Amino acid sequence: MSQDVLIRPLQEQDIDDEYLSWFVNEDGHLDYFTGSGRVFTKKMVVDDFREGLAGKNWFYYMIESKEGVRIGNVKIGPIDKKNKTSDLVCLIGNRGFLGRGIASKAIAMANEIAFEEYDIRRLQGGMFEGNIGSIKAYTRAGWFIEARMRGYYWIDGVSQDRVCVACLNPRYFNDVDDNQGN
């Protein structure tokens, strides 16, 4: 794995104005998923960060360039401890880094952390079908398209499918090949 991008555990002091700006919906990027016009206050983000750590239910990681430029974050969780499953969400917050393959690299690194550190058997996520960049980022990081939920999203008066993606821990799924179960 190329070391031009790194991920490290998010620290509370990382939650500053720059970090919070990633959640501002100026380009509409997060509007659908966060609720149009939703404001992410520092208190809200810090409380969520602390709650995840305290309950060991979700964990945030900072994506950085090797020079230390902050690029985005990855969230592992919420973790279903009984079933050893988890969501994994990647956000390239510094929009100047979009389209460079950084999300794929960060997702692949987070896969390893989820599997090794948290003993996750199965990671999953989903995105609307028009989010081609996100679909490519996950599939390039070893995930596979598991399902398509027809008409799941209603975006600007248009029905869009939800593309469901997953990644399986080979320690639990010894029949997993390069296509992750296809």
Side-chain angles (χ1 to χ4, degrees):
M1 181 59 59
S2 172
Q3 289 303 311
D4 56 340
V5 63
L6 310 166
I7 66 173
R8 63 168 175 80
L10 184 76
Q11 302 295 314
E12 191 169 324
Q13 62 266 23
D14 291 321
I15 303 171
D16 59 12
D17 289 342
E18 176 191 6
Y19 185 86
L20 293 171
S21 76
W22 296 347
F23 302 96
V24 174
N25 296 316
E26 291 173 1
D27 64 359
H29 180 69
L30 296 175
D31 271 356
Y32 185 82
F33 299 100
T34 62
S36 185
R38 182 173 173 194
V39 175
F40 287 85
T41 66
K42 184 169 186 171
K43 179 182 179 347
M44 176 191 302
V45 174
V46 168
D47 287 351
D48 182 68
F49 170 76
R50 289 178 179 165
E51 182 181 341
L53 285 179
K56 298 183 185 221
N57 292 323
W58 57 86
F59 302 90
Y60 288 94
Y61 290 83
M62 179 69 75
I63 305 168
E64 293 181 329
S65 71
K66 65 181 178 182
E67 297 82 19
V69 176
R70 299 184 320 164
I71 298 170
N73 72 11
V74 176
K75 178 184 179 185
I76 299 172
I79 297 172
D80 176 340
K81 294 173 186 165
K82 177 182 177 190
N83 293 303
K84 296 186 174 204
T85 63
S86 178
D87 291 353
L88 189 148
V89 179
C90 181
L91 169 68
I92 301 301
N94 185 331
R95 311 297 280 156
F97 286 88
L98 284 174
R100 297 187 189 184
I102 291 170
S104 294
K105 293 173 185 174
I107 292 165
M109 287 185 259
N111 292 346
E112 290 180 36
I113 291 169
F115 294 157
E116 299 303 318
E117 206 169 306
Y118 304 117
D119 196 28
I120 301 299
R121 290 181 321 105
R122 179 190 200 297
L123 294 165
Q124 65 262 337
M127 64 284 299
F128 64 91
E129 67 183 318
N131 192 344
I132 303 300
S134 185
I135 295 167
K136 286 182 179 179
Y138 281 89
T139 56
R140 288 178 180 156
W143 292 52
F144 62 95
I145 296 173
E146 184 172 48
R148 177 178 290 269
M149 299 171 76
R150 294 200 38 117
Y152 186 87
Y153 298 112
W154 187 252
I155 301 172
D156 296 327
V158 177
S159 177
Q160 282 205 30
D161 293 355
R162 176 181 170 96
V163 176
C164 301
V165 293
C167 186
L168 305 175
N169 184 337
R171 192 169 63 226
Y172 289 96
F173 297 90
N174 55 12
D175 62 340
V176 174
D177 62 13
D178 290 337
N179 292 321
Q180 285 275 309
N182 289 339

